[in-house]
Amino acid sequence: MTSGQKVLDIMLTNSTSSSPIAIANFCKRLCVKKQKGHFPFSLLGISVFFRIFANDMKKGDKVRFLHEVGGGTVCGFQGKNVVLVEDEDGFEIPMLMSDVVVVGSEDYSTSNVVNAKAAMQREAADGRSIKAMMKEGQDKVTVEDDRDEIDYSKVTFRAPAEERKGGNALSAYLAFVPIDIKEVTRTRFEAYFVNDSNYYLQYSYLIAEGNSWTLRAHGEAEPNTKEFIEEFGREDLNKMERVCIQMLAYKRDKPFVLKPTIDVQLRIDGVKFYKLHMFEDNDFFEQKALIYTLVEQDKVVRPLVVDAQRLKAEMYRHEEPADKTRVQKPQLQPIIKRRGDEDVVVVDLHIDALLDSTAGMSKGDILNYQVDVFRKTLAKYSDKKGQRIVFIHGKGEGVLRRALVSDLSYRYKSYTYQDASFQEYGYGATQVTIR
């Protein structure tokens, strides 16, 4: 056996541990011997050697091509002589095992896999790996700003409130704004607290539930601004029959005239939310709104609940009326609306529109009073043939409407009647035409 053959046997015996450098040195020796004429191996023997060595390849090994430029990672095998090499672009290239040489291998031992996983977790501590950062061009040097960041939550400066002439008298309103005025019968509404004064107003918005109250919203309205309270639908109107607004007025960083605390209770008529004409132009919103006055020029609106002590004092100071149970409003003035060439008379028969108080009155007394107003109105216009009169009685349980229809059927048979315009008056209104 020649010395070259001995070297070949040694390389074949230790092929699993032979490094690429040893293989390269061996090939170099072969080339030198060939130049000197001492080349004991045939091309077939060299090919067999590389094939045997290539059979020791495994997935993950780094390889280079012998007869062309390029290389990649071993990703699989086809048969016994073909290896699949994945290049840097991700393409799999089939190559003969004799045409590639291993230049590096991956260690997939358990300890190495665990260490590699831990390293990947450290790289992902900031959410990105080094490779991802380099792809995004973030490997450039950046200069960090060492200046302290400003904590805007600690900024306490407040611009002084703008005051207007005549705004030192308190004026505040509760406003209901339809979201879609064109669909007033189906739209939802927004409630606002309007502060039309130079004072800050702390307010509480409450709704009655039987004999108790529930706080729906509270806040601070700056001078000459409006504050959004809530959004609600028609299904909530029954819960809003009685509302209360409590207010406390003050100014910041300057002396001011002390104002008394204000407590206003209102009765919200849900029928008005179905009537387009109840929403009017105003100074506070670009669209029409239903406005309830709470306080105007320091004058609080008439309270919903009558003060018993004050009422008693008034009764003793003036001559006692014939009927103690009724405090009648001034003579009711019907609303006259122009529709084309005709005038339409509108009469609201709700008892709170007719009387200041119903203390001591039974339900029967209230109904009789409303029917009496109905009859007096028809008598007043009896000589005006063709006159149209709209009586607003509300939906409720329908007791008042049945009483009106009964009168029209027996007392006023010549008069015609029908449901009034739903768009203008909602469900609870009846139109009577004098004949």
Side-chain angles (χ1 to χ4, degrees):
M1 179 183 295
T2 64
S3 59
Q5 290 174 334
K6 291 181 180 180
V7 174
L8 179 59
D9 290 338
I10 294 173
M11 294 294 292
L12 294 176
T13 303
N14 300 282
S15 61
T16 57
S17 60
S18 299
S19 65
I21 297 176
I23 298 171
N25 291 334
F26 176 69
C27 294
K28 184 178 179 180
R29 290 174 56 194
L30 293 179
C31 294
V32 172
K33 287 181 176 289
K34 183 178 180 181
Q35 293 174 356
K36 294 182 177 181
H38 305 288
F39 191 69
F41 308 108
S42 65
L43 292 177
L44 179 61
I46 296 297
S47 175
V48 171
F49 164 72
F50 279 111
R51 287 178 182 176
I52 294 175
F53 184 79
N55 285 335
D56 193 44
M57 293 180 187
K58 57 184 180 294
K59 290 183 179 180
D61 286 348
K62 304 294 183 180
V63 297
R64 292 292 181 189
F65 302 147
L66 290 177
H67 302 298
E68 57 182 283
V69 178
T73 304
V74 175
C75 61
F77 299 92
Q78 289 183 352
K80 297 182 179 180
N81 300 323
V82 178
V83 60
L84 298 178
V85 180
E86 182 180 349
D87 63 7
E88 60 182 5
D89 294 325
F91 294 102
E92 293 184 359
I93 303 173
M95 297 291 294
L96 291 174
M97 292 184 180
S98 59
D99 292 338
V100 298
V101 60
V102 177
V103 296
S105 61
E106 299 290 342
D107 185 1
Y108 288 99
S109 63
T110 302
S111 60
N112 192 53
V113 170
V114 172
N115 294 335
K117 186 175 182 180
M120 291 176 64
Q121 291 177 348
R122 288 194 298 270
E123 288 181 357
D126 64 345
R128 285 176 292 185
S129 65
I130 295 175
K131 183 177 180 180
M133 292 174 64
M134 293 182 67
K135 283 186 177 181
E136 296 179 7
Q138 296 185 4
D139 54 327
K140 298 179 181 179
V141 178
T142 57
V143 179
E144 295 184 357
D145 190 355
D146 295 332
R147 291 177 295 179
D148 295 335
E149 294 184 358
I150 300 175
D151 186 0
Y152 291 99
S153 63
K154 296 181 180 179
V155 177
T156 58
F157 171 76
R158 183 191 294 263
E162 295 184 4
E163 297 189 355
R164 60 178 178 82
K165 185 177 181 180
N168 287 327
L170 288 184
S171 293
Y173 307 88
L174 180 63
F176 298 104
V177 182
I179 295 177
D180 186 0
I181 190 66
K182 296 180 180 179
E183 297 290 340
V184 70
T185 58
R186 294 191 294 269
T187 185
R188 293 178 64 81
F189 300 89
E190 293 178 340
Y192 288 87
F193 177 78
V194 180
N195 179 11
D196 191 27
S197 70
N198 293 338
Y199 282 76
Y200 287 86
L201 289 179
Q202 283 279 356
Y203 70 91
S204 298
Y205 176 67
L206 306 98
I207 291 181
E209 295 181 358
N211 295 326
S212 60
W213 292 85
T214 300
L215 178 66
R216 292 290 290 265
H218 66 90
E220 180 188 62
E222 296 185 356
N224 303 298
T225 62
K226 54 182 179 285
E227 188 84 7
F228 173 78
I229 297 178
E230 64 175 350
E231 179 183 325
F232 62 91
R234 298 189 182 281
E235 65 277 4
D236 301 317
L237 289 176
N238 292 334
K239 303 176 184 178
M240 300 171 57
E241 186 177 355
R242 289 170 56 205
V243 302
C244 176
I245 302 290
Q246 298 175 330
M247 291 170 278
L248 174 65
Y250 54 90
K251 291 188 178 182
R252 296 180 184 274
D253 305 323
K254 63 190 309 184
F256 58 90
V257 177
L258 184 64
K259 303 288 184 178
T261 56
I262 299 173
D263 186 330
V264 180
Q265 296 184 32
L266 299 174
R267 187 180 298 277
I268 304 299
D269 186 1
V271 177
K272 293 182 178 180
F273 288 81
Y274 290 89
K275 303 175 183 179
L276 183 61
H277 71 278
M278 299 304 298
F279 298 90
E280 301 175 344
D281 295 326
N282 56 88
D283 298 329
F284 312 117
F285 302 92
E286 294 182 358
Q287 63 269 44
K288 295 183 177 181
L290 177 59
I291 306 291
Y292 285 87
T293 301
L294 304 175
V295 56
E296 194 167 48
Q297 297 299 311
D298 283 338
K299 294 181 180 180
V300 182
V301 297
R302 175 179 59 86
L304 177 65
V305 180
V306 177
D307 188 342
Q309 297 297 328
R310 182 178 178 183
L311 179 61
K312 183 177 180 180
E314 290 293 327
M315 290 173 63
Y316 278 106
R317 192 175 65 175
H318 300 289
E319 184 179 353
E320 213 173 82
D323 189 350
K324 300 180 182 179
T325 61
R326 301 179 188 174
V327 181
Q328 189 169 353
K329 286 187 174 182
Q331 184 63 35
L332 179 67
Q333 298 296 327
I335 300 173
I336 300 178
K337 296 184 65 177
R338 173 75 61 180
R339 182 184 296 170
D341 296 331
E342 299 180 353
D343 291 334
V344 178
V345 178
V346 181
V347 179
D348 192 347
L349 293 180
H350 284 94
I351 194 62
D352 57 350
L354 304 176
L355 297 174
D356 280 335
S357 173
T358 58
M361 296 179 68
S362 64
K363 291 184 178 180
D365 294 335
I366 293 174
L367 178 61
N368 290 334
Y369 188 85
Q370 292 170 312
V371 173
D372 186 56
V373 173
F374 168 74
R375 292 171 181 171
K376 288 180 179 179
T377 304
L378 291 181
K380 180 178 178 180
Y381 293 95
S382 60
D383 58 342
K384 295 185 178 182
K385 304 301 181 182
Q387 178 64 58
R388 296 181 182 180
I389 307 174
V390 175
F391 293 96
I392 300 175
H393 46 72
K395 189 176 179 182
E397 298 178 358
V399 176
L400 177 56
R401 184 181 187 280
R402 288 196 295 270
L404 301 185
V405 171
S406 177
D407 257 22
L408 290 169
S409 300
Y410 295 100
R411 284 176 175 262
Y412 309 97
K413 293 182 179 180
S414 62
Y415 295 176
T416 60
Y417 65 93
Q418 65 185 52
D419 289 336
S421 171
F422 171 77
Q423 184 176 4
E424 292 189 38
Y425 307 104
Y427 289 107
T430 301
Q431 178 180 288
V432 179
T433 304
I434 306 296
R435 298 296 183 190

